Amino acid sequence: MKTIAIDFETANEQRGSACSVGLAWLEGDEVVRVEERLIRPKDMRFSSFNVAIHGIRPEDVEDAGEFPEVMDEFADDFRGATMIAHNAAFDFSVWRACLDLYRQSYPELSYLCSVKMAQKAWPHLGSHKLNVLAAHLGLRFAHHNAAEDAAICARATVAIAKSLQVPHVRDIPAAIGMKVGRLFSGGYAPCTCRLK
């Protein structure tokens, strides 16, 4: 079973404006591969707000592939994988919006939200933002770089599994009452977590 953390950055407020994707592959409790790809959005409108967050400008993505081309490189990796995203509702809405924009079908995969998992594992933390979790775990990273965000998401998820004393990150949902999210050709089911 493949486990891959994913993070998107967007060019503007539109969810279909992905301009970068970061991926981090987990094997056991080790991050074994990290990749980042720039993406040329269909609409090359970059908002100053988004650029201030991630630093990606239109000239950076001029020669990059568009969403279908970039994501197709990883299609075999995604098939049947368990994906993880920090605030999965955002990242998976970006993925769906981009697929919708290009009239592509959704891949078949399941996904987990590391924010929801962190809230259950470490309720004492005042915030469960990625930079807060990184500080809690003693990890340093360049926030809002898609590859680094994906890698920290993966490492935080491993730490969550250890704190919950479960053998694998895929065992976290059963331990905390999480319903695993899914993408499938006919649509999607969100990742949800019951309250206490």
Side-chain angles (χ1 to χ4, degrees):
M1 289 290 290
K2 294 167 286 190
T3 307
I4 307 167
I6 188 166
D7 181 79
F8 287 106
E9 301 296 333
T10 56
N12 57 57
E13 72 286 350
Q14 298 293 321
R15 295 292 168 96
S17 69
C19 61
S20 175
V21 62
L23 300 160
W25 283 256
L26 269 176
E27 284 183 12
D29 53 8
E30 294 292 322
V31 174
V32 295
R33 177 182 169 196
V34 178
E35 299 280 352
E36 180 187 15
R37 297 291 183 272
L38 292 175
I39 300 169
R40 187 174 69 249
K42 201 168 200 175
D43 172 9
M44 282 286 283
R45 180 175 61 83
F46 279 68
S47 80
S48 56
F49 177 81
N50 291 54
V51 171
I53 290 172
H54 52 58
I56 300 169
R57 302 176 177 281
E59 56 269 27
D60 298 324
V61 301
E62 279 174 2
D63 298 325
E66 289 192 34
F67 191 86
E69 178 188 346
V70 170
M71 298 300 276
D72 190 53
E73 178 185 346
F74 305 107
D76 289 341
D77 291 300
F78 298 146
R79 198 169 295 112
T82 297
M83 307 292 295
I84 311 165
H86 202 71
N87 187 11
F90 171 78
D91 291 286
F92 281 84
S93 70
V94 169
W95 200 341
R96 294 192 321 268
C98 290
L99 289 169
D100 293 346
L101 190 63
Y102 289 95
R103 295 190 166 94
Q104 291 196 305
S105 60
Y106 296 174
E108 298 272 343
L109 54 84
S110 58
Y111 66 91
L112 309 174
C113 177
S114 55
V115 170
K116 293 180 190 305
M117 295 188 292
Q119 289 167 340
K120 288 284 193 169
W122 303 309
H124 61 282
L125 292 180
S127 164
H128 295 88
K129 291 181 177 177
L130 202 55
N131 58 331
V132 174
L133 292 190
H136 173 67
L137 298 169
L139 301 172
R140 297 172 59 93
F141 76 122
H143 200 9
H144 298 298
N145 168 280
E148 296 218 7
D149 284 3
I152 291 293
C153 170
R155 290 186 176 102
T157 303
V158 167
I160 290 165
K162 287 180 178 174
S163 76
L164 295 170
Q165 298 180 328
V166 296
H168 194 277
V169 298
R170 287 188 298 274
D171 300 312
I172 296 171
I176 64 171
M178 172 180 275
K179 183 180 171 203
V180 176
R182 286 181 52 239
L183 281 186
F184 49 92
S185 58
Y188 77 102
C191 176
T192 58
C193 210
R194 66 172 181 249
L195 299 171
K196 301 211 181 284

